[in-house]
Amino acid sequence: GALPAPDANTNPLGYKLSWAPRGVLLAANNSAVLLERGREHRAAGAALYSRAEVRAEHVDGVGELEWYYNRDSVKFVDI
């Protein structure tokens, strides 16, 4: 999925799917492993969308964007 260009934002979710909706919903069940401030952090799939796990960042010229962890990124540290 992706955030559409403002003129293509034609639905109330403000999101466009680039793959099957079923895949998006199934992916929401995957847990995540990442490094946060140098320490390993694990988030259970069931908790990924909780207020405790969803993060927000301000992007100049865009505004506030929310994001969540995606699967296991620790295995890519050495790349």
Side-chain angles (χ1 to χ4, degrees):
L3 298 173
D7 59 330
N9 189 353
T10 57
N11 69 67
L13 295 176
Y15 191 78
K16 300 281 182 167
L17 297 175
S18 58
W19 59 82
R22 181 176 186 272
V24 173
L25 296 175
L26 290 174
N29 292 320
N30 294 323
S31 12
V33 184
L34 61 131
L35 294 177
E36 189 169 51
R37 295 185 181 99
R39 302 180 80 181
E40 191 171 286
H41 176 76
R42 293 179 176 270
L48 278 182
Y49 298 107
S50 69
R51 291 303 325 155
E53 296 295 350
V54 172
R55 303 296 192 249
E57 303 287 337
H58 180 82
V59 177
D60 291 338
V62 176
E64 197 81 4
L65 296 177
E66 289 186 341
W67 57 274
Y68 62 92
Y69 306 124
N70 188 15
R71 299 196 186 190
D72 181 358
S73 60
V74 175
K75 64 185 174 187
F76 298 106
V77 167
D78 292 331
I79 294 179

